[in-house]
């Protein structure tokens, strides 16, 4: 990199030569959580599609084959880098609360918050889905193929059928076995045979309803938000238990937001991600910023000191996240203050010690309802997109052959703090619940693309993504090795580490005063594409899921 910086500074003309070269077709790549979805993306790229076209094909396929995690009934954040203009844009397709939503949304008649499991499959959990409006906007700005062409792969697969994967099978079982929650009729009709048994892995599942919905949306994206499909969504939300009050007007009024990414420099790189209502961009950049004064390269993944710093930076950043971040349209989120150099330096100084610090607030449970994918097209445009239905199979309610999200459970259930002041992330009409989704694109000092990554994992997303950035940027790991580093989630007073975390380092951290919980299995789904200086792309796919890397 140093050589390139020098050549650009010393020989201004090199810039022009360099960008002219970048318009030549180059290598392209897809990394996503399911082989069918990767195929869908590659087919789009081979057919002259852009990274955005590939993203539409990937998302509509994931909605079918990985419905536990993401889909067109959910929401997403996408970071997009356009090589021709050098601009990076965030497309925000986060769900919005229906107009009937009040701060008491999650309180029962006695003013007590509903238990999460009751809320999970309720109609009240469903937010107005944002994925299709977001993809339509991105396609209008940066699509190459016709909108409709991007739907044919998923439509054919829904008609012809796909084999239920081992992971999908195990998660249908898990959703059906969660205590106190009755399996919804939609889940039973779709995933169970007449005897009430879950269809096995390998069973070929067709979904003609979904194929029909895709045909409607391919014709005109507005057909998701108006007409018979919108009516189906409203009807699915309106049935008990705990019905919701989404209206046709809520759907018709949905618009995706387009805005600048949240970027911060880290050792000469520029790390760009999603701004609020996601907490991802702020919190990942806080963690990295707190680590910057330390020589992380000298304390690698085989040292307790390297992990200690990572753990403390995570705990400090998560504490801020929990307190300050919500939908900025509803309350002031102090993004600049949280990322100010002086403030980060003060927080970072707290890490300069050799024993565990601080009592920080406790965390929330981890959840498996999200997917992340990355695409680089032949022109060099990049998509980094995290997409979610929130918990397992969203609300477990279906309309038009796809699952509806339960994203409104990402609001804080109790609208008041202990001292009676309002909670920033309380429910409200039209509001977007706080997210942790952290789709990231990293650039070098020349503004050239270096890597794209992201992960599912609820609030742990931030820890998984930060671990991967430290692994690649500081510890020099390849995408695959960085993904395979043990996950370490330090939020509140307990540090959750994956089984593969080295016992000697765990022992050393315990001796410093940390409480480690090694029994919690973590479930990230990190996907990465890295661009080397010679233009070669290398990818990585998380073995904790069923994904892969593919090239056209
Ligand atoms: N609903 C979560 C969020 O938007 C993501 C859930 C998950 O990753 O499973 O932050």
């Amino acid at each position: 990199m140093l050589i390139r910086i020098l050549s650009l500074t010393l020989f201004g003309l090199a810039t022009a030569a360099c960008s002219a070269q970048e318009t030549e077709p180059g290598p392209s790549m897809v990394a996503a959580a399911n082989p069918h979805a990767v195929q869908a993306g590659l087919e789009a790229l081979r057919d002259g599609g852009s990274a955005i076209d590939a993203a539409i094909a990937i998302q509509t396929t994931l909605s079918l084959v990985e419905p536990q995690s993401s889909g067109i009934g959910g929401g997403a954040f996408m970071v997009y880098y356009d090589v021709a203009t050098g601009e990076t844009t965030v497309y925000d397709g986060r769900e919005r609360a229906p107009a009937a939503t009040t701060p008491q949304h999650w309180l029962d008649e006695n003013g007590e918050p509903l238990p999460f499991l009751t809320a999970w499959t309720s109609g009240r959990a469903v937010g107005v889905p944002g994925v299709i409006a977001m993809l339509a906007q991105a396609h209008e700005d940066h699509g190459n193929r016709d909108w409709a062409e991007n739907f044919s792969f998923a439509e054919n697969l829904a008609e012809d059928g796909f084999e239920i994967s081992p992971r999908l099978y195990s998660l249908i079982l898990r959703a059906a076995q969660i205590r106190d929650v009755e399996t919804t009729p939609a889940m039973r009709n779709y995933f169970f045979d007449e005897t009430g048994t879950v269809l096995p892995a390998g069973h070929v599942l067709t979904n003609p309803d979904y194929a029909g919905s895709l045909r409607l949306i391919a014709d005109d994206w507005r057909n998701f938000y108006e007409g018979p499909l919108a009516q189906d969504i409203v009807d699915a939300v309106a049935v008990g238990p705990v019905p919701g009050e989404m209206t046709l007007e809520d759907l018709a009024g949905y618009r995706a937001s387009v805005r600048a990414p949240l970027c911060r420099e880290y050792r000469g790189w520029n790390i760009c991600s999603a701004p609020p209502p996601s907490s991802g961009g702020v919190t990942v950049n806080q963690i990295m910023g707190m680590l910057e004064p330390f020589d992380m390269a000298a304390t690698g993944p085989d040292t307790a000191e390297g992990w200690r710093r990572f753990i403390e930076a995570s705990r400090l950043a998560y504490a801020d996240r929990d307190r300050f971040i919500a939908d900025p349209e509803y309350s002031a989120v102090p993004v600049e203050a949280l990322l100010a150099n002086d403030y980060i330096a003060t927080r970072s100084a707290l890490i300069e010690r050799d024993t565990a610090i601080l009592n920080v607030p406790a965390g929330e449970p981890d959840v498996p309802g999200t997917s992340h994918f990355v695409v680089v097209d032949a022109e060099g445009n990049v998509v980094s997109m995290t997409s979610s239905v929130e918990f397992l199979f969203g609300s477990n309610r279906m309309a038009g052959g796809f699952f509806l999200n339960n994203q409104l459970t990402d609001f804080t259930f109790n609208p008041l703090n202990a001292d009676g002041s309002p909670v920033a992330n309380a429910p409200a009409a039209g509001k977007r619940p706080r997210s942790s989704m952290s789709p990231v694109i990293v650039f070098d000092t020349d503004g050239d693309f270096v890597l794209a990554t992201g992960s599912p994992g609820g609030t742990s997303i931030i820890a998984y993504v930060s671990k991967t950035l430290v692994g690649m940027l500081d510890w020099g790991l390849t995408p695959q090795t960085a993904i395979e580093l043990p996950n370490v989630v330090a939020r509140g007073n307990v540090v959750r580490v994956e089984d593969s975390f080295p016992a000697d380092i765990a022992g050393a951290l315990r001796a410093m005063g940390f409480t480690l919980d090694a029994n919690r299995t973590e479930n990230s789904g990190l996907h990465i594409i890295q661009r080397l200086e010679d233009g070669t792309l290398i990818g990585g796919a998380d073995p904790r899921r069923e994904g892969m890397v593919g090239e056209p």
Side-chain angles (χ1 to χ4, degrees), residues 77 94 321 367-370 388-391 407 410 434-437 455-459 461:
F77 290 91
R94 185 67 166 170
R321 169 205 180 271
V367 286
T370 303
S388 174
V389 289
E390 213 308 279
F391 198 57
Q407 215 72 246
D410 272 2
R434 175 178 58 210
S435 170
S436 298
M437 290 192 261
S455 180
T459 57
I461 289 171

Side-chain angles (χ1 to χ4, degrees), residues 455-514:
S455 180
T459 57
S460 303
I461 289 171
I462 291 161
Y464 302 149
V465 170
S466 302
K467 168 207 82 170
T468 305
L469 293 176
V470 170
M472 290 184 69
L473 302 180
D474 287 334
W475 294 340
L477 302 178
T478 63
Q480 195 60 38
T481 331
I483 288 172
E484 288 170 17
L485 272 182
N487 284 324
V488 173
V489 182
R491 181 167 179 223
N493 290 331
V494 176
V495 182
R496 290 186 286 127
V497 298
E498 218 167 12
D499 295 346
S500 58
F501 195 73
D504 56 334
I505 299 181
L509 290 168
R510 286 201 174 93
M512 293 174 190
F514 290 100

